[in-house]
Amino acid sequence: MSQMPQSTALSRCPSCEEPLESGDRFCGACGYDLSVVPAPPPDTPTLTMNGMAPHPRSETAPVDWPTAPEAGGANTPAAVHLPSDIQGTDSGGSQLPATTPAKGVRFDRPSDADDYHLAAPQPVDPRTSVPSTPPAGTKVCVACRTGQVDSDGYCENCGHAQPRERDHVEQELDAVAAVSDRGLRHHRNEDAFAVSSTALPDGSPAVVAVVCDGVSSATRPDEASIAATGAANEALLAALPLGTHPQQAMHDAIIAASHAVNALAVEPETAQEHSPHQNAPACTFVGAVVTTGLLVVGWVGDSRVYWIPVDRGASPARLTEDDSWAAQMVAAGLMSDTEAYADERAHAITGWLGADAYELEPHTASFKPDRPGVVVVCTDGLWNYAEAAEEMAEAVPSDAERRPLHAAQVLVGHALDGGGHDNVTVAVLPFPAPLQGAGSA
């Protein structure tokens, strides 16, 4: 939409400065014709500095620009003046002597032979760098293989968390081997084992394996299993060379293991005040002693011992009975094996080592196998995936008698392949004990 031009509204008369009313066409005082609008003054904007208006620029006075000196010729460059050629003045306005050297940055300073430039640091390529050899006895990171591991279990080079020592443990002697693994679901390994060999008074060998499973619902179960295996192993190695019958030595070893676990519950009075909900450390126990003609087992809890003959045509057997809810239901005739162990209460143990155990009832048994075979000592982390003796025999390699460590590794792998829901520990002992197995471990 177009608009008509509007005349400029005036508040005062341009001639006599008399105030005007809106719509006046003539001044009421002097009669000035208000329709005649004077031309606007020239637009010469100025910049006010410090409240003072600058002098108006004269249109007739040209700017006096200095004349640039002419060059010597088309091919002759203009003279170059250095800052040192300019004669300055001091703070009072007096000219400085021409001989006074100019202070400040010098542009004519010649380069010295001693001058050098610092090169930018180049990043080190870890693929081509030669790692430094860590001091003797220092743990090296399993990830980068170069960094040292600090006391918190992390690499000082790459920051990778290191596996705990008990996450996976293997040990092999001449006549026995054992493997323990954290499994795939637990945050730590609460199992422990001890394997050793000694000689009986007649010089024949005796091979020992002890396996303990920490009760996860108890406080410090990993410490309980370590204490129990260590105490039982020491007791067996002390009693067997003295001629103590292996079955009696196993019974005494279980008592020693129980005392060691009970000792963990002894705490200062202030400890119970700060942690009133903690309970006593606890674990299960299972062990085996193999000689040239005798096999002795002992247990408390639900860890087991299996007999697997070398001749797979012969029947395998489970040599222990669980201290568990499921076993009680089967013994009372209230449930079948299948029904009881399918129940969610099946693994609720009724016997264990610990200060809060109802009553310690060590179980021992001795056997005289009539053929060679292997003894499998394990926690429920393995037999959960091979519960029946026939299932365990299928999982044990056929050369287990000659390669006990390999057999233990295969059995742990069987549990991990099945899901690895629990810690897995297994020891494999050939029967009869080979003569080269004699001697202290």
Side-chain angles (χ1 to χ4, degrees), residues 340-369:
Y341 284 101
D343 194 283
E344 61 181 7
R345 297 165 291 181
H347 288 279
I349 58 176
T350 58
W352 62 87
L353 304 184
D356 58 355
Y358 300 118
E359 184 178 358
L360 178 62
E361 296 183 6
H363 308 293
T364 61
S366 59
F367 304 90
K368 291 184 177 181

Side-chain angles (χ1 to χ4, degrees), residues 425-437:
T425 302
V426 55
V428 177
L429 305 85
F431 177 89
L435 295 178
Q436 63 268 25

Side-chain angles (χ1 to χ4, degrees), residues 35-335:
S35 62
V36 181
V37 181
D43 185 12
T44 56
T46 59
L47 181 64
T48 303
M49 299 292 290
N50 299 328
M52 298 179 60
H55 296 289
R57 182 169 59 89
S58 174
E59 295 182 357
T60 58
V63 179
D64 186 14
W65 298 104
T67 304
E70 296 182 359
N75 298 326
T76 304
V80 177
H81 297 277
L82 299 176
S84 58
D85 298 336
I86 302 175
Q87 189 173 1
T89 60
D90 58 17
S91 59
S94 302
Q95 290 188 353
L96 297 173
T99 57
T100 302
K103 297 181 179 180
V105 180
R106 290 190 58 183
F107 297 91
D108 60 341
R109 178 174 177 268
S111 59
D112 295 336
D114 296 337
D115 287 352
Y116 62 93
H117 299 280
L118 294 177
Q122 298 296 324
V124 178
D125 189 346
R127 297 168 299 180
T128 59
S129 61
V130 179
S132 58
T133 303
T138 303
K139 292 183 62 177
V140 179
C141 175
V142 299
C144 67
R145 299 291 182 180
T146 58
Q148 301 181 25
V149 179
D150 60 20
S151 58
D152 295 332
Y154 291 86
C155 176
E156 296 178 349
N157 179 44
C158 66
H160 192 280
Q162 305 300 297
R164 298 182 180 93
E165 291 185 3
R166 290 181 62 178
D167 282 357
H168 186 87
V169 183
E170 297 184 2
Q171 186 176 358
E172 181 182 26
L173 303 179
D174 291 338
V176 61
V179 177
S180 182
D181 192 271
R182 177 172 59 91
L184 304 178
R185 303 295 181 89
H186 278 232
H187 69 284
R188 65 181 175 184
N189 189 359
E190 297 168 355
D191 289 357
F193 70 81
V195 293
S196 58
S197 62
T198 186
L200 299 177
D202 61 359
S204 61
V207 183
V208 174
V210 176
V211 171
C212 293
D213 182 357
V215 178
S216 297
S217 59
T219 302
R220 292 144 55 201
D222 52 335
E223 296 181 26
S225 60
I226 280 286
T229 54
N233 186 63
E234 291 179 5
L236 288 167
L237 291 181
L240 291 173
L242 299 178
T244 306
H245 190 280
Q247 189 168 355
Q248 181 62 46
M250 178 63 73
H251 180 276
D252 296 342
I254 295 175
I255 300 297
S258 176
H259 290 164
V261 177
N262 292 348
L264 297 177
V266 179
E267 298 176 340
E269 295 180 0
T270 55
Q272 289 297 330
E273 295 177 3
H274 294 294
S275 302
H277 302 294
Q278 289 188 349
N279 51 10
C283 68
T284 66
F285 178 98
V286 67
V289 176
V290 172
T291 67
T292 54
L294 187 68
L295 166 59
V296 173
V297 299
W299 74 95
V300 175
D302 62 349
S303 294
R304 295 179 176 180
V305 179
Y306 289 86
W307 163 254
I308 311 297
V310 173
D311 179 9
R312 296 305 172 90
S315 299
R318 194 178 92 195
L319 305 182
T320 57
E321 293 292 337
D322 298 342
D323 289 324
S324 68
W325 179 90
Q328 286 186 344
M329 293 298 103
V330 174
L334 300 176
M335 288 184 175

